[in-house]
Amino acid sequence: MSVVPGEVDTARQPPMTVPLRHFVVGTGFLLAGVVAGAVAAVGGTSGLGTLAHVHLLLAGWVCLTIMGAMTQFVPVWSGAALHSERLATAQLWLVSGGLAGFATNLFTATLASAPVFAAAMLVGFWTFVYNVGRTLLPQAPYDVTERHFGVALGFFLLVTLLGFLLAVDFVRPAFAGLPVTRADVVSAHVTLAVFGAVTTTVLGALYQLATMFTQTSLHGVDVPLRRVEEAGYPAGVALLAVGRLVDSVLLARVGAVLLVAALAAFTVILGRRLLETQVDWTPMLSRYAVATAGFAAWAALALPAWVADPLAPAALFGAPGTVHLFVVGAVGFVVLGTLYHVVPFIVWVHRYSDLLGYEAVPMIDDLYSGWVAAADLGCFVAGTALLVAADLLGLPAAVAAAGGVLVLAGSALFVANLLSVIRTHSPASVAGILLGRSVDSSETRPDESAEPSD
């Protein structure tokens, strides 16, 4: 059984091209980031190549996906028109253009223009924060998803400001004479980016998506666990970031314990939603199941490491060697699963929703290839497992290389499957979406004089 949500206000969504443009560009950064990681792993770039790899995946693929998803679903879930479609377009090109230039700076180790490209990203992200913030602001009282999104927007402001200062520091000392060092700022920047802006958004979205698309609701132990997560997670991120910035072991340790405990509480909630699902398993739910296991494994490893020393450089992402586990094995699979529903959903609404009752229409999960989805899942799971094993067990570089090849293959299959949805079913082509061409909705609207079908 495929789920067609009936409790969201799709009349409030922005034009199809606005969020899809974010997703298409984001998948381009996914491929670029995976290739960059493989090149950096074999020593094909300077020492900054790994930094470029991380930014292409996190600032590019993950954050552009978040920007597109919030632009689409804040109006739908909150029942409010998007504040500005023009700003939504501007934010995409500012961030993607700035990131492309910044990543090139890192790959070529020519950093003179890095602050310029970082400034473009800063303006793009702040435009996104303003646009979504203005859309959310009048919607009080806020639900759990809206509260998470509001907190995440605050983290986006802070992390991009620190990122810009770090880019300036490449060419001119930005922290000279200050009580903090570049290493301190990097630690705070990573904490606010990965655990703050990105993961807070992921948690907020999953409260809606994991209940809506399993047709379940929070009950029993879920309710107190949600309170633990809502109170503990943002406080934990903030304390950990501040502790790392000012070199306070106590602050960082308290923040780390709160963060891990809150994320563990949410992992139980997510696992219970999947166990109680009332619908058939879809690519979305399968990837959420992998993410649940990833979050649980990461929390079990991170807690003792962070209690021992939350300021250790090797423990930046949790326990030493857990960066792929968290970024790919947990957050990455949430993004993959969400895109497997969001892209077909947007296309389905614009192409087929008006035809319901007039002719036979496909379900949302019929728009993409099931066997390709299964193949890319297998590649991603196997590749991630090899990367995590290589990180944690110190296995030979060939193991990590094999994992990278599998992740690249999975990425290519994933991107091809989603682009096929647009090519086959969308009223607009991929090129038309990137160029922002409007779609004539009358092309898919049924003849109003026709008799509805049974």
PDB file of all heavy atoms in Angstrom, residues 417-442:
ATOM      1  N   ASN A 417      17.549   7.450 -10.603  1.00  0.00           N
ATOM      2  CA  ASN A 417      16.163   7.066 -10.319  1.00  0.00           C
ATOM      3  C   ASN A 417      15.285   8.290 -10.082  1.00  0.00           C
ATOM      4  O   ASN A 417      14.161   8.372 -10.582  1.00  0.00           O
ATOM      5  CB  ASN A 417      16.135   6.144  -9.096  1.00  0.00           C
ATOM      6  CG  ASN A 417      15.020   5.114  -9.164  1.00  0.00           C
ATOM      7  OD1 ASN A 417      14.350   4.956 -10.186  1.00  0.00           O
ATOM      8  ND2 ASN A 417      14.810   4.393  -8.081  1.00  0.00           N
ATOM      9  N   LEU A 418      15.798   9.253  -9.315  1.00  0.00           N
ATOM     10  CA  LEU A 418      14.997  10.450  -9.055  1.00  0.00           C
ATOM     11  C   LEU A 418      14.860  11.318 -10.298  1.00  0.00           C
ATOM     12  O   LEU A 418      13.793  11.888 -10.559  1.00  0.00           O
ATOM     13  CB  LEU A 418      15.620  11.258  -7.916  1.00  0.00           C
ATOM     14  CG  LEU A 418      15.504  10.658  -6.517  1.00  0.00           C
ATOM     15  CD1 LEU A 418      15.910  11.680  -5.466  1.00  0.00           C
ATOM     16  CD2 LEU A 418      14.087  10.158  -6.225  1.00  0.00           C
ATOM     17  N   LEU A 419      15.934  11.438 -11.072  1.00  0.00           N
ATOM     18  CA  LEU A 419      15.829  12.227 -12.299  1.00  0.00           C
ATOM     19  C   LEU A 419      14.867  11.587 -13.288  1.00  0.00           C
ATOM     20  O   LEU A 419      14.208  12.287 -14.067  1.00  0.00           O
ATOM     21  CB  LEU A 419      17.205  12.408 -12.932  1.00  0.00           C
ATOM     22  CG  LEU A 419      18.191  13.291 -12.174  1.00  0.00           C
ATOM     23  CD1 LEU A 419      19.496  13.432 -12.952  1.00  0.00           C
ATOM     24  CD2 LEU A 419      17.607  14.673 -11.887  1.00  0.00           C
ATOM     25  N   SER A 420      14.760  10.259 -13.258  1.00  0.00           N
ATOM     26  CA  SER A 420      13.807   9.589 -14.146  1.00  0.00           C
ATOM     27  C   SER A 420      12.364   9.946 -13.794  1.00  0.00           C
ATOM     28  O   SER A 420      11.496   9.980 -14.675  1.00  0.00           O
ATOM     29  CB  SER A 420      14.007   8.071 -14.090  1.00  0.00           C
ATOM     30  OG  SER A 420      13.501   7.525 -12.873  1.00  0.00           O
ATOM     31  N   VAL A 421      12.121  10.205 -12.497  1.00  0.00           N
ATOM     32  CA  VAL A 421      10.781  10.641 -12.086  1.00  0.00           C
ATOM     33  C   VAL A 421      10.431  11.965 -12.759  1.00  0.00           C
ATOM     34  O   VAL A 421       9.332  12.151 -13.294  1.00  0.00           O
ATOM     35  CB  VAL A 421      10.707  10.787 -10.551  1.00  0.00           C
ATOM     36  CG1 VAL A 421       9.374  11.394 -10.135  1.00  0.00           C
ATOM     37  CG2 VAL A 421      10.904   9.438  -9.877  1.00  0.00           C
ATOM     38  N   ILE A 422      11.384  12.888 -12.729  1.00  0.00           N
ATOM     39  CA  ILE A 422      11.146  14.193 -13.346  1.00  0.00           C
ATOM     40  C   ILE A 422      11.038  14.058 -14.861  1.00  0.00           C
ATOM     41  O   ILE A 422      10.132  14.639 -15.489  1.00  0.00           O
ATOM     42  CB  ILE A 422      12.280  15.164 -12.963  1.00  0.00           C
ATOM     43  CG1 ILE A 422      12.305  15.369 -11.443  1.00  0.00           C
ATOM     44  CG2 ILE A 422      12.121  16.497 -13.687  1.00  0.00           C
ATOM     45  CD1 ILE A 422      13.491  16.175 -10.945  1.00  0.00           C
ATOM     46  N   ARG A 423      11.940  13.295 -15.464  1.00  0.00           N
ATOM     47  CA  ARG A 423      11.955  13.166 -16.921  1.00  0.00           C
ATOM     48  C   ARG A 423      10.680  12.501 -17.437  1.00  0.00           C
ATOM     49  O   ARG A 423      10.127  12.903 -18.466  1.00  0.00           O
ATOM     50  CB  ARG A 423      13.175  12.343 -17.349  1.00  0.00           C
ATOM     51  CG  ARG A 423      13.342  12.231 -18.864  1.00  0.00           C
ATOM     52  CD  ARG A 423      14.560  11.417 -19.248  1.00  0.00           C
ATOM     53  NE  ARG A 423      14.455  10.018 -18.830  1.00  0.00           N
ATOM     54  CZ  ARG A 423      15.141   9.485 -17.827  1.00  0.00           C
ATOM     55  NH1 ARG A 423      15.996  10.218 -17.140  1.00  0.00           N
ATOM     56  NH2 ARG A 423      14.990   8.202 -17.514  1.00  0.00           N
ATOM     57  N   THR A 424      10.176  11.493 -16.715  1.00  0.00           N
ATOM     58  CA  THR A 424       9.043  10.718 -17.204  1.00  0.00           C
ATOM     59  C   THR A 424       7.703  11.313 -16.804  1.00  0.00           C
ATOM     60  O   THR A 424       6.738  11.275 -17.589  1.00  0.00           O
ATOM     61  CB  THR A 424       9.123   9.274 -16.662  1.00  0.00           C
ATOM     62  OG1 THR A 424      10.393   8.705 -17.017  1.00  0.00           O
ATOM     63  CG2 THR A 424       8.012   8.411 -17.235  1.00  0.00           C
ATOM     64  N   HIS A 425       7.605  11.888 -15.625  1.00  0.00           N
ATOM     65  CA  HIS A 425       6.302  12.268 -15.081  1.00  0.00           C
ATOM     66  C   HIS A 425       6.107  13.765 -14.863  1.00  0.00           C
ATOM     67  O   HIS A 425       4.967  14.208 -14.723  1.00  0.00           O
ATOM     68  CB  HIS A 425       6.061  11.549 -13.747  1.00  0.00           C
ATOM     69  CG  HIS A 425       6.076  10.062 -13.850  1.00  0.00           C
ATOM     70  ND1 HIS A 425       4.985   9.337 -14.294  1.00  0.00           N
ATOM     71  CD2 HIS A 425       7.045   9.147 -13.589  1.00  0.00           C
ATOM     72  CE1 HIS A 425       5.280   8.043 -14.280  1.00  0.00           C
ATOM     73  NE2 HIS A 425       6.524   7.899 -13.859  1.00  0.00           N
ATOM     74  N   SER A 426       7.171  14.534 -14.777  1.00  0.00           N
ATOM     75  CA  SER A 426       7.010  15.940 -14.421  1.00  0.00           C
ATOM     76  C   SER A 426       6.510  16.765 -15.604  1.00  0.00           C
ATOM     77  O   SER A 426       6.905  16.519 -16.749  1.00  0.00           O
ATOM     78  CB  SER A 426       8.353  16.504 -13.941  1.00  0.00           C
ATOM     79  OG  SER A 426       8.275  17.909 -13.805  1.00  0.00           O
ATOM     80  N   PRO A 427       5.657  17.765 -15.346  1.00  0.00           N
ATOM     81  CA  PRO A 427       5.251  18.694 -16.405  1.00  0.00           C
ATOM     82  C   PRO A 427       6.415  19.534 -16.922  1.00  0.00           C
ATOM     83  O   PRO A 427       6.333  20.101 -18.004  1.00  0.00           O
ATOM     84  CB  PRO A 427       4.211  19.588 -15.715  1.00  0.00           C
ATOM     85  CG  PRO A 427       3.762  18.820 -14.526  1.00  0.00           C
ATOM     86  CD  PRO A 427       4.941  18.014 -14.092  1.00  0.00           C
ATOM     87  N   ALA A 428       7.500  19.625 -16.138  1.00  0.00           N
ATOM     88  CA  ALA A 428       8.674  20.387 -16.557  1.00  0.00           C
ATOM     89  C   ALA A 428       9.873  19.458 -16.657  1.00  0.00           C
ATOM     90  O   ALA A 428       9.990  18.492 -15.906  1.00  0.00           O
ATOM     91  CB  ALA A 428       8.975  21.502 -15.551  1.00  0.00           C
ATOM     92  N   SER A 429      10.773  19.736 -17.593  1.00  0.00           N
ATOM     93  CA  SER A 429      11.984  18.950 -17.746  1.00  0.00           C
ATOM     94  C   SER A 429      12.996  19.340 -16.675  1.00  0.00           C
ATOM     95  O   SER A 429      12.835  20.346 -15.975  1.00  0.00           O
ATOM     96  CB  SER A 429      12.596  19.193 -19.122  1.00  0.00           C
ATOM     97  OG  SER A 429      13.027  20.551 -19.228  1.00  0.00           O
ATOM     98  N   VAL A 430      14.063  18.541 -16.555  1.00  0.00           N
ATOM     99  CA  VAL A 430      15.133  18.890 -15.619  1.00  0.00           C
ATOM    100  C   VAL A 430      15.718  20.242 -15.975  1.00  0.00           C
ATOM    101  O   VAL A 430      15.940  21.097 -15.105  1.00  0.00           O
ATOM    102  CB  VAL A 430      16.221  17.802 -15.624  1.00  0.00           C
ATOM    103  CG1 VAL A 430      17.403  18.234 -14.755  1.00  0.00           C
ATOM    104  CG2 VAL A 430      15.663  16.480 -15.124  1.00  0.00           C
ATOM    105  N   ALA A 431      15.951  20.478 -17.276  1.00  0.00           N
ATOM    106  CA  ALA A 431      16.493  21.773 -17.697  1.00  0.00           C
ATOM    107  C   ALA A 431      15.525  22.903 -17.369  1.00  0.00           C
ATOM    108  O   ALA A 431      15.923  23.988 -16.931  1.00  0.00           O
ATOM    109  CB  ALA A 431      16.795  21.744 -19.194  1.00  0.00           C
ATOM    110  N   GLY A 432      14.223  22.642 -17.586  1.00  0.00           N
ATOM    111  CA  GLY A 432      13.236  23.666 -17.278  1.00  0.00           C
ATOM    112  C   GLY A 432      13.188  23.993 -15.801  1.00  0.00           C
ATOM    113  O   GLY A 432      13.013  25.148 -15.409  1.00  0.00           O
ATOM    114  N   ILE A 433      13.359  22.974 -14.954  1.00  0.00           N
ATOM    115  CA  ILE A 433      13.374  23.201 -13.504  1.00  0.00           C
ATOM    116  C   ILE A 433      14.578  24.042 -13.119  1.00  0.00           C
ATOM    117  O   ILE A 433      14.467  25.000 -12.344  1.00  0.00           O
ATOM    118  CB  ILE A 433      13.374  21.847 -12.769  1.00  0.00           C
ATOM    119  CG1 ILE A 433      11.993  21.193 -12.880  1.00  0.00           C
ATOM    120  CG2 ILE A 433      13.761  22.014 -11.305  1.00  0.00           C
ATOM    121  CD1 ILE A 433      11.958  19.757 -12.436  1.00  0.00           C
ATOM    122  N   LEU A 434      15.752  23.714 -13.666  1.00  0.00           N
ATOM    123  CA  LEU A 434      16.962  24.469 -13.329  1.00  0.00           C
ATOM    124  C   LEU A 434      16.868  25.910 -13.808  1.00  0.00           C
ATOM    125  O   LEU A 434      17.367  26.823 -13.151  1.00  0.00           O
ATOM    126  CB  LEU A 434      18.186  23.791 -13.936  1.00  0.00           C
ATOM    127  CG  LEU A 434      18.584  22.445 -13.314  1.00  0.00           C
ATOM    128  CD1 LEU A 434      19.706  21.812 -14.106  1.00  0.00           C
ATOM    129  CD2 LEU A 434      19.000  22.638 -11.857  1.00  0.00           C
ATOM    130  N   LEU A 435      16.219  26.111 -14.966  1.00  0.00           N
ATOM    131  CA  LEU A 435      16.093  27.460 -15.514  1.00  0.00           C
ATOM    132  C   LEU A 435      14.895  28.210 -14.960  1.00  0.00           C
ATOM    133  O   LEU A 435      14.697  29.384 -15.284  1.00  0.00           O
ATOM    134  CB  LEU A 435      15.989  27.387 -17.043  1.00  0.00           C
ATOM    135  CG  LEU A 435      17.235  26.849 -17.761  1.00  0.00           C
ATOM    136  CD1 LEU A 435      16.954  26.668 -19.251  1.00  0.00           C
ATOM    137  CD2 LEU A 435      18.423  27.777 -17.545  1.00  0.00           C
ATOM    138  N   GLY A 436      14.087  27.542 -14.137  1.00  0.00           N
ATOM    139  CA  GLY A 436      12.967  28.208 -13.493  1.00  0.00           C
ATOM    140  C   GLY A 436      11.801  28.489 -14.410  1.00  0.00           C
ATOM    141  O   GLY A 436      11.028  29.421 -14.179  1.00  0.00           O
ATOM    142  N   ARG A 437      11.640  27.671 -15.482  1.00  0.00           N
ATOM    143  CA  ARG A 437      10.525  27.892 -16.392  1.00  0.00           C
ATOM    144  C   ARG A 437       9.220  27.522 -15.715  1.00  0.00           C
ATOM    145  O   ARG A 437       9.116  26.499 -15.058  1.00  0.00           O
ATOM    146  CB  ARG A 437      10.704  27.051 -17.659  1.00  0.00           C
ATOM    147  CG  ARG A 437      11.900  27.486 -18.504  1.00  0.00           C
ATOM    148  CD  ARG A 437      12.132  26.514 -19.630  1.00  0.00           C
ATOM    149  NE  ARG A 437      13.322  26.886 -20.389  1.00  0.00           N
ATOM    150  CZ  ARG A 437      13.982  26.058 -21.181  1.00  0.00           C
ATOM    151  NH1 ARG A 437      13.576  24.801 -21.290  1.00  0.00           N
ATOM    152  NH2 ARG A 437      15.045  26.471 -21.840  1.00  0.00           N
ATOM    153  N   SER A 438       8.213  28.350 -15.901  1.00  0.00           N
ATOM    154  CA  SER A 438       6.915  28.092 -15.274  1.00  0.00           C
ATOM    155  C   SER A 438       6.236  26.910 -15.953  1.00  0.00           C
ATOM    156  O   SER A 438       6.491  26.586 -17.108  1.00  0.00           O
ATOM    157  CB  SER A 438       6.012  29.330 -15.372  1.00  0.00           C
ATOM    158  OG  SER A 438       5.799  29.662 -16.731  1.00  0.00           O
ATOM    159  N   VAL A 439       5.362  26.245 -15.206  1.00  0.00           N
ATOM    160  CA  VAL A 439       4.628  25.092 -15.708  1.00  0.00           C
ATOM    161  C   VAL A 439       3.170  25.481 -15.871  1.00  0.00           C
ATOM    162  O   VAL A 439       2.555  26.035 -14.955  1.00  0.00           O
ATOM    163  CB  VAL A 439       4.746  23.902 -14.732  1.00  0.00           C
ATOM    164  CG1 VAL A 439       3.930  22.733 -15.240  1.00  0.00           C
ATOM    165  CG2 VAL A 439       6.199  23.511 -14.555  1.00  0.00           C
ATOM    166  N   ASP A 440       2.614  25.207 -17.028  1.00  0.00           N
ATOM    167  CA  ASP A 440       1.204  25.486 -17.275  1.00  0.00           C
ATOM    168  C   ASP A 440       0.378  24.361 -16.689  1.00  0.00           C
ATOM    169  O   ASP A 440       0.341  23.250 -17.219  1.00  0.00           O
ATOM    170  CB  ASP A 440       0.960  25.603 -18.784  1.00  0.00           C
ATOM    171  CG  ASP A 440      -0.488  25.962 -19.115  1.00  0.00           C
ATOM    172  OD1 ASP A 440      -1.274  26.145 -18.160  1.00  0.00           O
ATOM    173  OD2 ASP A 440      -0.815  26.060 -20.308  1.00  0.00           O
ATOM    174  N   SER A 441      -0.259  24.647 -15.545  1.00  0.00           N
ATOM    175  CA  SER A 441      -1.003  23.590 -14.862  1.00  0.00           C
ATOM    176  C   SER A 441      -2.183  23.094 -15.669  1.00  0.00           C
ATOM    177  O   SER A 441      -2.705  22.008 -15.430  1.00  0.00           O
ATOM    178  CB  SER A 441      -1.489  24.088 -13.495  1.00  0.00           C
ATOM    179  OG  SER A 441      -2.331  25.206 -13.654  1.00  0.00           O
ATOM    180  N   SER A 442      -2.630  23.880 -16.692  1.00  0.00           N
ATOM    181  CA  SER A 442      -3.764  23.435 -17.494  1.00  0.00           C
ATOM    182  C   SER A 442      -3.423  22.210 -18.328  1.00  0.00           C
ATOM    183  O   SER A 442      -4.293  21.491 -18.797  1.00  0.00           O
ATOM    184  CB  SER A 442      -4.219  24.567 -18.425  1.00  0.00           C
ATOM    185  OG  SER A 442      -3.214  24.888 -19.375  1.00  0.00           O
TER     186      SER A 442
END
